[in-house]
Amino acid sequence: MCDEEYEARQYKLLNTAFEINLSMPSNDLIANAILHNINCNENQSKNNLSFIEHIELYIGRYVQQSELDYKKDNDFSGDPDCGCDYDCECSLNIFAMSAFKNIARNFVLYANDNDLVNELLERYVIEEKIRLLDCNLTEILRIILYRCLSYLAYDLGFYHISCKHHEVAILIYGGALTNVSFDEVSYMEAAASAIGKKAADNRWSKHNQTRPEKKKQYLEIMDQKNFTTFAETAEYIKQNIETDKTPSYDTIKRWLSEANKGDFS
């Protein structure tokens, strides 16, 4: 097997493993944990799985429609200038996480309406409706929602976001097994904050690496142009060299002052 074939096979195996992981918890595990499938008769077990599959189709359509909405409003051109030395996801994660949070929040608000649950239970006889309503159907909706969102993020190439949403699905499922509630809103807020901090830290790291060079450059410009004040030099640099938002006029003036005192840190 040549190197190209080996790499292609390894890539395919890795993708397969990742997709299998995202499919967890599976529908039968959800049925056992929340719909008490182990205690059900054959007909009830079939209804349990068909009910979860029905929910999956419903939420899948909802998520796909939401995908069209946020893709229309974002061209993925944002660049946080993260400074990563590889093909990272920072420029995607910095705004995509917000879009995914909105999808989840809007669905949860919608799912709190009893009309949705009643709509999902329409196909069942009254006895089965009562049995299913005795279970925590909200947990199933939340698990399936975050599982669908993890698939969507994976398909779009947002792998970090995909993993985070899969983690939420697993944690909600684990809470159902142990009767422990899980606050996914706080969890995702922390995840979004961590993504923003990573991008900010990378920007600051890159900023710190270039600052000594910039200080030296600015001082040389001041000397070459025979400027007599830092303000005059900073104004020239902002108009002709550093025309982007950063570094600001005040930052350039401060760096000039520090460099003039021998501080090139």
Side-chain angles (χ1 to χ4, degrees), residues 43-66:
N43 185 59
Q44 290 172 334
S45 292
K46 289 181 180 178
N47 286 342
N48 288 343
L49 290 177
S50 69
F51 179 60
I52 295 175
E53 289 168 0
H54 184 45
I55 291 175
E56 189 173 24
L57 287 172
Y58 186 96
I59 294 179
R61 286 194 297 267
Y62 180 92
V63 166
Q64 289 301 322
Q65 182 58 51
S66 298

Side-chain angles (χ1 to χ4, degrees), residues 225-237 249 253:
K225 297 294 181 180
N226 294 317
F227 291 134
T228 57
T229 66
F230 301 138
E232 185 182 14
T233 309
E235 185 175 351
Y236 171 84
I237 291 172
Y249 167 84
K253 190 166 67 170

Side-chain angles (χ1 to χ4, degrees), residues 2-64:
C2 66
D3 290 343
E4 290 80 4
E5 290 176 341
Y6 176 78
E7 289 180 5
R9 182 174 182 274
Q10 292 299 105
Y11 182 77
K12 182 177 180 180
L13 290 174
L14 182 62
N15 275 337
T16 301
F18 200 87
E19 289 171 1
I20 291 173
N21 185 55
L22 293 184
S23 71
M24 295 292 133
S26 60
N27 289 355
D28 57 336
L29 290 177
I30 296 172
N32 286 334
I34 300 175
L35 301 180
H36 316 296
N37 198 58
I38 195 171
N39 299 321
C40 294
N41 59 42
E42 184 177 352
N43 185 59
Q44 290 172 334
S45 292
K46 289 181 180 178
N47 286 342
N48 288 343
L49 290 177
S50 69
F51 179 60
I52 295 175
E53 289 168 0
H54 184 45
I55 291 175
E56 189 173 24
L57 287 172
Y58 186 96
I59 294 179
R61 286 194 297 267
Y62 180 92
V63 166
Q64 289 301 322

Side-chain angles (χ1 to χ4, degrees), residues 156-170:
L156 293 174
F158 304 144
Y159 302 119
H160 184 79
I161 293 175
S162 177
C163 288
K164 285 300 175 185
H165 284 79
H166 176 250
E167 286 175 14
V168 171
I170 291 294

Side-chain angles (χ1 to χ4, degrees), residues 206-242:
K206 183 178 179 180
H207 179 69
N208 284 343
Q209 290 171 3
T210 60
R211 184 169 55 189
E213 299 172 5
K214 292 290 186 182
K215 285 184 174 182
K216 183 178 179 181
Q217 177 192 8
Y218 298 162
L219 207 58
E220 288 175 351
I221 291 172
M222 184 174 181
D223 182 58
Q224 292 167 1
K225 297 294 181 180
N226 294 317
F227 291 134
T228 57
T229 66
F230 301 138
E232 185 182 14
T233 309
E235 185 175 351
Y236 171 84
I237 291 172
K238 279 304 296 179
Q239 290 178 354
N240 298 280
I241 300 173
E242 304 287 10

